Amino acid sequence: MAVQEIRAFNRFYTNLIGALDYSRHLYTPYTLTESRVLYELTHSPHTDAADLRTRLSLDAGYLSRLLANFEQDGLIERSPSEEDARRRRVSLTARGREAAALLDERSREAVGSLLSGVRPEERPRLTAAMRTVREILSSSTPHAPEAPVLRDPVPGDLGWIVQRHGALYAAEFGWNADFEGLVARIVADFAQDHDPHLERVWIAELDGRPVGSVMCVRDDAPGTARLRLLLVDPSARGHGLGERLVRTVVDFAYEVGYREVVLWTNDVLTAARKIYQRAGFTLVAEKPHRSYGADLVGQDWRLPLQEGASK
């Protein structure tokens, strides 16, 4: 009976979400498998074909043809891996990110439409049941622990950045609401006016919830990017997420043509400073100040990217 029920549920759910005709269901030119590959590349920007094959359990030949089509359509770029020259790193182009964003938007709309037919009082029971299915089947199947994924912000994420910075820095360093106000202004400036080709925000997600953030924006100096609002929630520490977020900003800044990346931090943030040092940043200036209800030493850090950046 259990086998029959599971098979019946599979048939019901794949039909409900349009899995057999995914492109028509979401009004996009991509199949379900192609969409999954774009999703993985969006959330794991530093990956290679072997990682994708393992993560999605795809045939090597099929994945190779799929990636070749993506490359021909200008959605991805392939280059030698820095860790292993035998591997090929796969990354989305600007066009690829736009395609993935469209898929994500259409998928959210489809799920929203699905939920609109469920009475509000029934939705908690529905999501709890889905969570139960995942937990039971995951616990019975050997698998590696989930790693954080990086994605673009969705509605509510920018507010989360402000709230989490305010709460975390108050708890760990005793900073007052002035700091939360500073973060709110930075986030508001980005939300109201930014160039999506030169400025981005990344949200780190673990088990379906945000656990980190970082921002890359244009600095006043020509050709200079500024790294801002690096945050890793205590619940997600130990995954190397801070290094990954910083590396993502540096790679993005290099790819879009910035000559250098700069940042400002405070001396008490020792863990963050170690991350910046490992990424190649050097300390260029220090100045004492009193802010957020504390006596601090502000620090300016700099990382040259392109030839001539140090001139």
Side-chain angles (χ1 to χ4, degrees):
M1 288 299 296
V3 171
Q4 293 176 7
E5 286 294 337
I6 290 175
R7 293 185 64 189
F9 177 81
N10 286 344
R11 292 192 295 272
F12 162 78
Y13 194 65
T14 53
N15 182 63
L16 185 68
I17 65 173
L20 300 182
D21 195 1
Y22 197 73
S23 60
R24 185 180 64 83
H25 185 72
L26 293 189
Y27 304 102
T28 70
Y30 305 109
T31 66
L32 178 58
T33 303
E34 290 169 338
S35 300
R36 279 299 311 276
V37 171
L38 288 172
Y39 176 90
E40 291 294 334
L41 290 173
T42 300
H43 292 77
S44 301
H46 300 278
T47 192
D48 58 41
D51 294 331
L52 284 172
R53 186 171 66 248
T54 301
R55 198 173 302 151
L56 299 177
S57 300
L58 293 176
D59 174 77
Y62 175 74
L63 178 61
S64 178
R65 292 190 295 274
L66 188 154
L67 292 177
N69 290 335
F70 277 177
E71 192 169 31
Q72 184 176 353
D73 292 341
L75 301 180
I76 66 166
E77 294 175 338
R78 289 189 278 188
S79 58
S81 170
E82 295 177 0
E83 291 78 18
D84 186 344
R86 296 169 298 179
R87 290 173 170 250
R88 299 284 287 174
R89 174 180 164 183
V90 184
S91 57
L92 290 175
T93 62
R95 183 176 179 181
R97 289 194 296 270
E98 290 175 0
L102 175 63
L103 280 168
D104 186 67
E105 178 184 347
R106 295 283 170 80
S107 180
R108 289 177 180 275
E109 290 174 352
V111 173
S113 177
L114 182 64
L115 283 176
S116 68
V118 179
R119 296 195 305 273
E121 63 271 20
E122 291 288 341
R123 292 174 189 174
R125 192 163 70 94
L126 172 65
T127 54
M130 289 181 165
R131 189 179 305 113
T132 299
V133 170
R134 286 183 56 194
E135 290 174 352
I136 292 176
L137 293 181
S138 296
S139 63
S140 63
T141 305
H143 67 289
E146 287 193 24
V149 296
L150 303 188
R151 59 170 174 78
D152 292 326
V154 297
D157 281 336
L158 297 183
W160 175 86
I161 292 175
V162 176
Q163 181 276 330
R164 200 66 192 118
H165 270 81
L168 190 58
Y169 279 79
E172 295 194 349
F173 301 102
W175 292 3
N176 62 27
D178 291 345
F179 177 67
E180 189 171 353
L182 170 66
V183 176
R185 288 191 294 275
I186 294 171
V187 168
D189 287 344
F190 179 88
Q192 292 170 4
D193 181 24
H194 71 277
D195 184 339
H197 298 291
L198 296 175
E199 301 173 291
R200 288 187 66 185
V201 171
W202 290 266
I203 297 294
E205 183 179 283
L206 181 63
D207 297 328
R209 57 188 178 85
V211 294
S213 68
V214 75
M215 179 183 289
C216 180
V217 297
R218 284 181 295 179
D219 193 60
D220 293 335
T224 301
R226 181 167 291 274
L227 185 153
R228 309 197 83 165
L229 302 185
L230 174 67
L231 176 77
V232 177
D233 193 84
S235 64
R237 291 172 185 170
H239 291 276
L241 186 53
E243 287 87 349
R244 186 175 165 195
L245 286 164
V246 170
R247 186 175 70 240
T248 298
V249 169
V250 171
D251 287 349
F252 170 76
Y254 180 84
E255 288 168 3
V256 300
Y258 284 110
R259 293 188 300 112
E260 62 180 356
V261 181
V262 299
L263 64 91
W264 181 82
T265 188
N266 286 283
D267 63 329
V268 296
L269 306 180
T270 54
R273 289 192 293 112
K274 290 178 181 177
I275 292 172
Y276 301 143
Q277 287 176 312
R278 288 195 290 269
F281 284 84
T282 55
L283 179 64
V284 295
E286 290 186 293
K287 183 179 180 180
H289 66 105
R290 182 166 180 82
S291 303
Y292 328 129
D295 292 319
L296 304 166
V297 177
Q299 298 181 329
D300 290 294
W301 294 72
R302 178 175 176 272
L303 173 64
L305 297 178
Q306 313 284 356
E307 184 178 355
S310 60
K311 297 180 181 178

